[in-house]
Amino acid sequence: MRVILKECAWEALGDDLIVVHDPREAFTLADPEGRIAALLDELGRGPATAEKLSAALTARGFAATVADVRDGLDGLDSLGLVENADERWLGAPDADERHFSNLTFFGSFAGLHTSRAEFVRRLRDSHVLVLGAGGGGSSLVQCLAGLGVGALTLVDRDDIAPRNFARQFLYRHVDIGRSKVDRAAEWVREYDPGIEVRAVDRWISGPEDLKDLTEDVHVVAGGLDGAPDANLWVNEAALRAGVPLVAGGMTRTQLIYFSVDPGKSACLRCDESDLPDPDEHSSAGVAHRLTRGLRLANGLTGPMAMQVGSLVAYEVMRYLTGIEPPRAAGSRVILDLRNGLIPTWEPFPRDPDCPACALARR
Ligand SMILES: [Zn+2]
């Protein structure tokens, strides 16, 4: 493998070497003999194998075996300073151009073991089931398409109406009256013909309606309008299929997203386990019963809808690429309009007897 140094600057300070890659931090490495500085110098000349670096360092008077160089490269890799030079691009000019920003973004997560190109390939090999092409779903579809997720199945049973326009930017005036998923699928095909997209214009009235849709998908994302228990149906269907679920939405003054990692995290049904009994004669019981009965008009508007959709898309990307662990698994992440949208985490309680978690395949 040829190794390449990421964008870095370094300078010796006494026996130390100061190295900056990400402007947010500087590494201070003990380098009394200047060996690390010499390795960085050689890497800075361009992509090189450990064998070539060993020869170059030895010629400079630093006796460095290939094994020594590999150790040094592993050290630099652990700091996120090097990556696989031959996998920074996909290797096809059109695809590299199309994914230029995705590849650049993944540069922050790439190393000697997982490359930028590999992260993009994982997305291209993925199939995401998107439930709902409304407020959050509209921006979710756009984000997933931008990332280059290879296959999307879009599910909704609604037609485009003028009241959607404050937050659903997949749709145009000329589309009023058309099926949302048909137009959403058309948008994806126009945007990137390389994405395989299927529109399912279907009303979901229980977990059984989701059964055929969750086969062969890698993540279920988004949420369903309508029935109060719709999220629990989706939770059950995703657990039964053994695939992660990522969803989000808005209450009156909070944006919320969450995810369920089947067999690993608590789920939405677990979350119900320590709610107060709505029939209980207590303030908590009455408040819970009243809250369940509230029918909030959907207050999502453009900036809120885009935010929810993009947070859900980012969590989906974590599951699909493995750049980092899912951040909302088994918890509700809340962005509160009353505190400037600073996120807080509320873990779901774990219910060891959860009937939904018992369905998880893995
Ligand atoms: Zn559960």
Side-chain angles (χ1 to χ4, degrees):
M1 178 201 301
R2 295 187 312 151
V3 178
I4 191 167
L5 187 64
K6 298 183 187 177
E7 305 94 332
C8 277
W10 61 91
E11 192 173 305
L13 180 69
D15 284 348
D16 290 335
L17 188 68
I18 314 298
V19 185
V20 176
H21 165 57
D22 186 335
R24 67 185 290 166
E25 62 198 350
F27 299 117
T28 301
L29 309 176
D31 191 28
E33 296 164 22
R35 295 174 70 88
I36 302 173
L39 177 58
L40 291 175
D41 276 344
E42 292 302 324
L43 279 166
R45 296 177 194 278
T49 60
E51 289 75 11
K52 185 178 164 194
L53 290 165
S54 167
L57 289 172
T58 303
R60 287 175 64 154
F62 296 99
T65 65
V66 172
D68 293 337
V69 171
R70 291 215 167 98
D71 284 347
L73 292 174
D74 284 342
L76 295 178
D77 190 32
S78 70
L79 299 175
L81 300 179
V82 288
E83 61 183 310
N84 181 344
D86 301 317
E87 284 272 304
R88 294 177 87 225
W89 303 100
L90 293 160
D94 288 352
D96 287 339
E97 197 61 22
R98 155 69 173 92
H99 287 287
F100 182 87
S101 295
N102 290 328
L103 290 159
T104 305
F105 173 80
F106 288 128
S108 296
F109 301 90
L112 298 183
H113 302 289
T114 313
S115 66
R116 299 179 190 212
E118 174 60 21
F119 289 129
V120 171
R121 282 195 293 266
R122 288 177 185 177
L123 290 170
R124 293 211 299 197
D125 292 343
S126 295
H127 180 187
V128 176
L129 173 64
V130 178
L131 299 174
S138 183
S139 54
L140 171 59
V141 167
Q142 292 181 315
C143 284
L144 295 177
L147 287 169
V149 170
L152 298 171
T153 295
L154 314 178
V155 183
D156 203 306
R157 169 66 301 277
D158 205 1
D159 297 328
I160 298 159
R163 66 169 53 190
N164 305 143
F165 279 35
R167 61 176 191 260
Q168 299 177 24
F169 305 122
L170 283 176
Y171 310 124
R172 307 160 301 178
H173 191 268
V174 70
D175 300 322
I176 289 171
R178 289 184 63 189
S179 150
K180 280 190 182 177
V181 278
D182 285 350
R183 168 59 196 152
E186 183 181 274
W187 182 92
V188 173
R189 290 187 196 104
E190 288 170 354
Y191 172 79
D192 183 345
I195 297 173
E196 197 178 305
V197 60
R198 180 162 76 110
V200 179
D201 196 323
R202 180 188 298 181
W203 181 253
I204 305 292
S205 54
E208 286 304 309
D209 292 340
L210 291 160
K211 203 161 179 285
D212 61 314
L213 299 173
T214 50
E215 285 166 8
D216 305 321
V217 302
H218 300 99
V219 170
V220 176
L224 296 169
D225 293 336
D229 285 341
N231 270 339
L232 289 174
W233 302 338
V234 179
N235 179 68
E236 183 183 319
L239 284 166
R240 210 182 274 279
V243 296
L245 163 65
V246 189
M250 183 181 181
T251 65
R252 201 176 295 285
T253 55
Q254 294 173 317
L255 305 181
I256 294 174
Y257 79 100
F258 61 86
S259 74
V260 176
D261 196 353
K264 293 182 183 166
S265 79
C267 80
L268 273 192
R269 177 70 73 183
C270 291
D271 186 43
E272 303 259 303
S273 64
D274 75 345
L275 290 176
D277 179 352
D279 298 324
E280 187 181 286
H281 191 65
S282 68
S283 57
V286 173
H288 179 50
R289 177 160 46 79
L290 294 175
T291 303
R292 280 173 75 130
L294 270 185
R295 290 289 168 265
L296 295 178
N298 191 336
L300 269 182
T301 191
M304 307 299 126
M306 297 294 272
Q307 181 132 233
V308 169
S310 70
L311 288 166
V312 169
Y314 194 5
E315 182 80 344
V316 170
M317 186 178 77
R318 292 185 183 108
Y319 278 107
L320 296 179
T321 60
I323 55 166
E324 62 179 18
R327 294 299 302 269
S331 60
R332 185 181 282 103
V333 182
I334 301 168
L335 288 79
D336 193 333
L337 272 64
R338 292 181 184 165
N339 76 354
L341 299 174
I342 296 168
T344 52
W345 274 255
E346 271 183 13
F348 297 152
R350 257 189 188 279
D351 177 2
D353 301 319
C354 173
C357 280
L359 301 170
R361 272 198 210 150
R362 61 181 189 189

